[in-house]
Every structure is written in structure tokens, then in C-alpha cells.
Amino acid sequence: MFIEPIGSLVARTLWAEMLDDRKFYFPVVAKSQDTKPEKRDDSGPPARPLRKWRPVGDASAVTMNGLHPYVGAQDVQVALDTGQSRGIEQSGIGVAKGKAYTGHIIIRGTPGAAVEATLIWGDGANDRQVVRLPALTSEWQTVPLHYTPDADSNDARFEITGTGSGDFRVGVVSLMPADNIDGWRADTVAILKGLHSGFWRLPGGNFLSNWDWHEAIGPRDKRPPMFDHAWGAMQANDFGMDEWLELTKLIGVQPYITVNAGLGDANSAAEEVEYINGPASSYWGAKRATNGHPAPYGVKFWNIGNEPYGWWQIGKTTLDYFMLKHNRFAVAMRAVDPSITLIGSGAMPDQLHPRDAKENASLQSIQHKFGTDEDWTGGLLREAWGNFDGLSEHWYDHTEKRPDAPPAEALMEFVRSPSNQVRMKADEWKIYQQRFPKMKDKDIFLSIDEYAYIGAPQDLKLSLAYSMVLQEMLRHTDFLRMSAFTTGASTMDITPTASMLNSTGEVFKLYGEHFGAGMIPVDVTGNSPQPDPKYPVGYDHPKVKAGSPTYPLDMVAALSPDRKTLTIAVVNATEQAQPVAIRIDGARAHGRGTVWRLTGKSLTAANKVGSPSGVTIRKANVPALGSTLVVPAISTSIYEFPLVSGHQAN
């Protein structure tokens, strides 16, 4: 999995903080005075804007104070009046009946101020809980907050108000579910642990190229907020490397860290390696120990830069210059920890083209790009040899309509389109192995550590597409060793108070459980080759044919580590049951098998919080493997068959 703070994505899904802009990066102004009024957008977490703080009472009494703020550039100051309650509030907060919420407020003020913090979940006089703050002083003090609402609400309100004389200043405020785990949501963490993801790449992506990791360590309340120019959003810097690494520990995966090679430099990257992997006796290792983590994290996988070739990237540069930069990063990072596995940020010729170019690349059409500035993977192989162990590649495929196609063919083309992205990368990799034979000697591997199929709802139809993507990846594990789906949070349907695995998440759970570490790939041949796409539309769709030669089915197979069980995965992206004749060379199946089948009542079946799951995985017994296997319509099925003792496959 891959994750980055794209706007409010992490804050709305994995991080437990319920209040936006809790360190007051933005000024508190009345809604009528806001040049960028708050909007509600439910199209997905990345698009949801941050909630704003608004004045309560006389708006002119609420000002921003930049004189010795608690953190960042400013905090909020409220001038009081004996006859009117004044302060600030934030609405649009989700709370659940009977659930405990805890937090704190860091505040200072004059002795004549009487201040309270209130959680309001309804219109009634009793639909609220008030925490009255102790007498204020001129020094900052931290006051704990505790609430338990007695009703559900999707539009609860949090107020900090006061009466009396003088004023008060609020530096920081926080509110989280009481069951949070070091700031992470307990419900989403529990779901992610069940995916068996292997590793998470974090906090990579465009965000990284203008983020300084130094500012996101130590006490969270003292970390200054920053503006992410890549995504045009404020980040509170509440989750830094210690929090990210705690998340990977909680969900049982290895961390894969990308360092900032946009606005960052080699020295900063080396310091990051030392902070994370260095002994407590080292300069940055001692700072880590002071922050509560005396033992080194021992992170193995490291990536230098994120898409430095892209016109969209902060710190975009030329190929020649980045080769110098990559080499300096690699030398500096390995000087701190020689054991790390370094992955260079590559891009193959089908990925790189002028900004407005419209093309569907083929192996023939991109031949002239190899060895040019439109070949960053080749540039690394040529100019940075010895300074990487693997090379990364990213791809995003966009769903498009095929109005001229009959429904059955439109379905098949939709489902198999993104797997062609994987096949294109695999075919190009083989060209690199021919151009640079030493790749095989040094076991240089490929990491597709960002990918997604964009534009379709999370339903069974999309699940079948991701099943084919994973199967195409499994076909190339001789060199494709790592992949990371964008994003880890996209495997769940999440509301402010609940979460569940969505239809895409069910796919990753299924393959994570049955094609994990130690599985031995088995070659699958057939007599029904994949046909050419019949209804090409749009651009950036590679002209290749992914899939097994078992059309219209797609199949992969593997042996268990002890070679006593044969696993066969089959995707049927048609609306009819499909038979397939099976012959096993080198082994013989014996006895009844087991199937785990992912499907639903229709292609639009989905998993949504508050409704029964529409896409499920059902386990069942199946007869012994004979000459024919019949695969149900619109399904992904994973079969396991025991092999005859003494005849395990070779």
C-alpha cells in the first residue's frame, strides 16, 4: 500500500483528530467574510476541504495574535464582555452515541476570564456537554477535555467561549476518540491489519517534495503547521515519521520510506536515515530516543525522490541534474546505514511524454525514446549504477466509457484495461535487461509503488479489474518484487464514526491471504490467447495484451512453500459461468479442494457503512480437481487443491 497526506485524505480516514486546523494556521473569520467559503464535497476524502473556525458572538472580538504564539505563526485571541458569550466554534464534526472522546486545550488569559469548552450534538438545551476551564493565568496551561455524547450526529459543534473581563488566547486544541492508538483511528487500524499488505510506502508522493521531516518530530502540539504547495492544503504536522512508523507496527507491515529529493537535499536525507536507523549514541538517534524511541527502527526499504521527472512535481528537474542528485543522496544515506535497500525513482518511456501529448504507447512507438531524456529508468541504469538496488515505476489508468461496445465486451475491456499498464512495464523491463545485462547479475528489481484505476465507483466491477491487475503482477515476480496501491485508505469505506472494508479492499485481503510470502509461481499456458482490444478510447492506454492465454478467463497459479498444495486464481469478468479444462504437469491433485470466491449479486454491488456487504468472500468445499473447472460469472475465485503425497510439483 501507498499513502500520502493529499489534503485531508489521511485526516479523514486514518488519523483520529476530529478538529481541523487545531493550531490556527488560518485566521478565524465569519463565514460571510471568508474569501474561500466552506463547501461540502462528498466525492471522496481528498476533495473534502478543511472545516473552518468561526467566531461566536461579536466577530470583531476575535483576532489573530502573532506575538509569541504557542506554535506556528499565530494563535487566536478573544476579547471578553460580561454580558455576551464570545469565542470560536467549529461545526461539521461526527460523533457516536455513548462513545468517549478525549482531548485538551492549551490556553492562557487574564484572571477575569471565565472560559468553557462545549461539545454540542443537537438543538436541545441538554444536547451538549460543558467542560469549565480552571482560572486562567498569563502562562500557557494544558486543560484535559472529556465528552460522551448521548446521541449520534454528523454535524456536532465544538465551542470555546468565555465571559467576563479581559481576554483569553487559545494556542492549540485537540479532540479524538478515546480509543485512538497514538493518534491513529482504532477502527481503521484494525481493518488494515487484516489486509496482510507486506509493506506501506509512506509518506511519499507529491506532498513529500515540499515537506521537511525535521518539523514533524517531537511533541505534536509544538510542531508548526505547514502549507503543502503540491496539493494546495494545510497540514498540521501531527503525523511525522515516528507516527508513520507506529502505524506500520500497528498494522503489521514493513515501512518503505521516500525521502524528499524535491526541495530536500542529501544531508537532510542522511539525517533522516540516522534518526530512524541510527544508534541512540548518534546525534539524530539521540533525538529519536528523546522522543520516546530509544531503539532504532531498522527500516530496510528507502526511495530517493518522488516522480522528479514530472511537470507537476515541486523540485522538478532535468534527467542529467537528477542523476547527480540521486548519486549524492545514495552515497550520503548509505554512509549512515550501508544495509539499506535503495530504490531509484525511474520512469519508462511510455510514462514520459510532453504535457499535452495524446498517445497510446506501443513497444514500437517508444523505441526511439530509450536512452533519451524521456527514459529516466535508463538514465539511472546508465548514470547511477551501484547507487540503487531497485527501480520504481508509477502508473494510473483512467476508466472510460465505450458507448459503441456491446455490454459484454465493454465489461471485459473495462476490467482488463489497467492490467495492460502492468504488462507494458514488464515488457519494457525485459528491454532494459537486454540493454543492461548486468541487471540480472546484480538482481536489480522493479517496484511499482504507486498505481490505481481512477474514475470508477468502488463496486464489484472495479474489484474484478484489480484482481486482474494483481494477477498480472504475480506473473512477473521474477523481477517485479514490490507494488503499492494508491491509497491504503482507499481499501475502506469510512465515515467519521465507522469504517468497513470496501469491495477493493476485499480483493487485497483475498490475495494477501493466499499469495503471500514463500508461494512458488507456477507457469500457466493455454490455447485461448488474449485478443486485441476492440474498442480503444481515450489516451494513455498501452497497446499490449495482459492476461493468461485462457481468454475470457484470467488465471494464475502457485504452489505452497512445502509444495503440497496447488493454488489456482481465476477471474471471470463475464456474466456467464465459464468452463476451463485443467491439466497439471509434474504433479497430481487429490481429494476435495477449497474455494474462496469474491462476488456479488450484480456488477454494481458495493460495501458501504450502514448497509450489508454487497461484495463478499465465501469459503466452500469443491470436488476433487477433474478435467474441467466451471467458474461462476462475475467472480474472482481462488482454489486450493491438495497434491498427492510423493508427487509434489517440482
Side-chain angles (χ1 to χ4, degrees):
M1 296 292 159
F2 160 68
I3 192 74
E4 71 168 308
I6 304 174
S8 61
L9 170 64
V10 176
R12 292 285 191 269
T13 58
L14 308 183
W15 191 243
E17 181 60 61
M18 299 161 62
L19 299 175
D20 288 345
D21 194 16
R22 73 185 194 92
K23 300 171 185 174
F24 304 105
Y25 179 90
F26 296 107
V28 178
V29 297
K31 193 170 185 179
S32 60
Q33 298 173 319
D34 198 341
T35 57
K36 293 183 178 180
E38 183 179 3
K39 295 186 296 183
R40 297 294 180 197
D41 185 344
D42 293 325
S43 62
R48 295 176 185 169
L50 295 178
R51 297 182 294 267
K52 301 291 185 68
W53 289 99
R54 303 297 185 190
V56 175
D58 184 359
S60 66
V62 180
T63 57
M64 307 310 295
N65 194 326
L67 183 63
H68 305 302
Y70 184 81
V71 65
Q74 62 185 6
D75 52 44
V76 62
Q77 183 170 0
V78 179
L80 295 176
D81 182 86
T82 56
Q84 182 189 51
S85 181
R86 295 175 176 177
I88 59 174
E89 61 88 15
Q90 187 174 125
S91 60
I93 302 167
V95 297
K97 178 181 179 180
K99 187 176 180 68
Y101 299 94
T102 61
H104 62 272
I105 183 171
I106 299 177
I107 193 168
R108 62 187 289 189
T110 55
V115 182
E116 56 189 30
T118 307
L119 182 64
I120 305 166
W121 54 84
D123 297 328
N126 295 323
D127 294 337
R128 63 188 61 210
Q129 194 170 347
V130 180
V131 174
R132 291 179 173 82
L133 276 58
L136 303 185
T137 70
S138 60
E139 301 297 323
W140 292 109
Q141 59 179 302
T142 301
V143 180
L145 304 173
H146 301 275
Y147 304 98
T148 306
D150 59 14
D152 295 334
S153 176
N154 291 322
D155 194 21
R157 188 168 74 253
F158 182 75
E159 291 186 351
I160 305 168
T161 56
T163 58
S165 60
D167 59 42
F168 68 88
R169 288 174 66 176
V170 181
V172 173
V173 64
S174 176
L175 186 66
M176 293 186 178
D179 63 355
N180 78 86
I181 310 172
D182 193 26
W184 297 105
R185 280 182 57 162
D187 59 333
T188 53
V189 162
I191 293 171
L192 294 173
K193 188 173 183 179
L195 289 182
H196 308 288
S197 297
F199 77 89
W200 273 48
R201 175 176 176 251
L202 75 190
N206 299 347
F207 156 84
L208 185 78
S209 293
N210 68 163
W211 179 65
D212 185 352
W213 70 271
H214 299 89
E215 295 184 349
I217 58 175
R220 288 198 286 263
D221 287 339
K222 295 298 290 184
R223 302 175 189 173
M226 58 86 70
F227 192 80
D228 171 19
H229 293 277
W231 295 104
M234 185 276 298
Q235 295 293 340
N237 262 340
D238 281 343
F239 30 88
M241 291 315 308
D242 288 308
E243 285 78 17
W244 285 119
L245 293 170
E246 175 66 17
L247 174 66
T248 62
K249 180 180 177 182
L250 291 171
I251 62 179
V253 300
Q254 288 196 60
Y256 168 28
I257 297 176
T258 302
V259 297
N260 178 355
L263 300 184
D265 56 39
N267 181 64
S268 175
E271 289 176 342
E272 187 172 1
V273 174
E274 184 172 284
Y275 181 85
I276 290 170
N277 284 0
S281 58
S282 65
Y283 179 83
W284 285 101
K287 290 185 178 292
R288 182 196 65 239
T290 299
N291 292 334
H293 303 276
Y297 287 109
V299 173
K300 177 181 179 182
F301 297 105
W302 294 79
N303 176 210
I304 299 175
N306 179 80
E307 300 172 0
Y309 48 82
W311 56 262
W312 56 88
Q313 195 66 221
I314 291 176
K316 177 196 179 297
T317 185
T318 63
L319 175 60
D320 288 345
Y321 180 76
F322 191 76
M323 292 304 100
L324 298 174
K325 198 170 186 177
H326 172 95
N327 288 331
R328 297 191 77 171
F329 270 66
V331 170
M333 293 167 70
R334 280 181 167 162
V336 175
D337 184 353
S339 71
I340 60 177
T341 297
L342 278 178
I343 298 172
S345 291
M348 300 182 192
D350 74 302
Q351 170 82 7
L352 291 180
H353 50 67
R355 180 171 180 174
D356 297 321
K358 296 180 178 180
E359 64 179 8
N360 292 318
S362 67
L363 290 176
Q364 292 72 31
S365 72
I366 63 173
Q367 285 297 322
H368 69 283
K369 295 184 179 182
F370 284 97
T372 72
D373 286 351
E374 292 183 279
D375 177 14
W376 279 53
T377 299
L380 284 162
L381 288 164
R382 186 178 62 252
E383 304 294 340
W385 186 257
N387 286 332
F388 57 81
D389 302 289
L391 299 173
S392 74
E393 186 76 13
H394 298 170
W395 62 259
Y396 291 93
D397 200 58
H398 294 263
T399 62
E400 294 176 292
K401 296 181 180 179
R402 296 170 171 81
D404 299 328
E409 294 182 359
L411 169 60
M412 179 59 72
E413 295 307 311
F414 172 94
V415 170
R416 70 179 185 143
S417 177
S419 60
N420 284 333
Q421 300 280 354
V422 181
R423 181 56 183 264
M424 186 66 167
K425 308 306 180 189
D427 288 348
E428 289 173 275
W429 191 261
K430 293 172 183 175
I431 293 174
Y432 287 119
Q433 289 179 325
Q434 294 172 355
R435 292 170 62 91
F436 301 94
K438 55 187 178 181
M439 289 173 64
K440 288 188 176 181
D441 296 334
K442 292 295 185 180
D443 197 26
I444 302 301
F445 63 88
L446 175 63
S447 173
I448 298 180
D449 46 39
E450 280 191 39
Y451 71 92
Y453 197 21
I454 299 172
Q458 297 279 356
D459 57 16
L460 177 59
K461 185 178 177 183
L462 186 63
S463 297
L464 298 176
Y466 278 125
S467 296
M468 282 197 181
V469 166
L470 291 179
Q471 296 199 168
E472 189 63 29
M473 288 181 170
L474 289 169
R475 271 188 277 273
H476 303 288
T477 50
D478 53 329
F479 57 83
L480 176 54
R481 307 284 172 75
M482 302 171 70
S483 69
F485 168 62
T486 306
T487 71
S490 299
T491 59
M492 297 173 286
D493 185 61
I494 303 171
T495 72
T497 58
S499 59
M500 69 182 298
L501 208 61
N502 64 20
S503 55
T504 296
E506 293 285 1
V507 173
F508 285 98
K509 177 178 172 63
L510 180 66
Y511 283 86
E513 290 177 344
H514 297 280
F515 285 89
M519 295 293 284
I520 304 166
V522 172
D523 191 29
V524 175
T525 60
N527 62 359
S528 183
Q530 296 284 330
D532 292 329
K534 295 183 179 180
Y535 300 93
V537 295
Y539 298 97
D540 294 327
H541 301 296
K543 293 181 180 179
V544 293
K545 294 181 288 185
S548 60
T550 56
Y551 187 85
L553 301 177
D554 186 54
M555 301 176 63
V556 294
L559 293 171
S560 59
D562 63 4
R563 300 176 181 264
K564 294 182 179 180
T565 303
L566 175 65
T567 299
I568 304 173
V570 191
V571 180
N572 181 3
T574 76
E575 297 194 78
Q576 296 82 37
Q578 299 286 347
V580 57
I582 301 288
R583 189 188 73 194
I584 304 173
D585 294 333
R588 182 160 56 92
H590 174 71
R592 303 176 71 186
T594 307
V595 65
W596 290 262
R597 182 163 290 122
L598 182 152
T599 190
K601 291 183 178 180
S602 70
L603 289 166
T604 58
N607 295 354
K608 294 287 186 181
V609 170
S611 301
S613 296
V615 177
T616 58
I617 299 171
R618 306 290 187 189
K619 179 182 177 181
N621 294 324
V622 293
L625 183 62
S627 59
T628 302
L629 194 65
V630 179
V631 185
I634 54 171
S635 69
T636 295
S637 303
I638 295 186
Y639 300 86
E640 288 186 358
F641 295 99
L643 300 179
V644 176
S645 179
H647 292 275
Q648 291 87 6
N650 297 317

